[in-house]
Amino acid sequence: FRFTSIRCLRMRFVITNRDGFAHNFVSPQANIGERVIAGGATQSLVWTAPARRGTYRAQCTYHPGMTLDIEVE
């Protein structure tokens, strides 16, 4: 997945895990600490986009290939 944001914009991610396995959501480079989302659960996360332009990757480290690229303009 890919998402575009404006620098320093504050936003809320709502993450719903629709399967029976736990997933996590983390991006060290975008300063998003790890969130573990149990199967069937929903969590929200308030995040402020970095002041620096670039592409920041968030991922589920439990399941390689589950990624979200956040493009900050």
Side-chain angles (χ1 to χ4, degrees), residues 53-69:
R53 292 181 176 164
T55 301
Y56 299 86
R57 175 158 284 184
Q59 61 186 358
C60 173
T61 60
Y62 301 167
H63 302 97
M66 294 185 77
T67 62
L68 168 67
D69 287 333

Side-chain angles (χ1 to χ4, degrees), residues 22-67:
H23 294 278
N24 68 349
F25 184 80
V26 62
S27 178
Q29 67 182 172
N31 201 27
I32 299 173
E34 180 183 27
R35 302 284 176 126
V36 177
I37 304 105
T42 298
Q43 287 191 28
S44 65
L45 163 70
V46 176
W47 176 72
T48 302
R52 187 174 180 183
R53 292 181 176 164
T55 301
Y56 299 86
R57 175 158 284 184
Q59 61 186 358
C60 173
T61 60
Y62 301 167
H63 302 97
M66 294 185 77
T67 62

Side-chain angles (χ1 to χ4, degrees), residues 2-13 30 47-56 69-73:
R2 182 176 276 293
F3 177 79
T4 302
S5 175
I6 299 169
R7 289 178 288 154
C8 300
L9 179 70
R10 186 178 169 130
M11 64 191 76
R12 178 182 310 271
F13 289 102
W47 176 72
T48 302
R52 187 174 180 183
R53 292 181 176 164
T55 301
Y56 299 86
D69 287 333
I70 306 165
E71 183 71 31
V72 176
E73 298 180 341

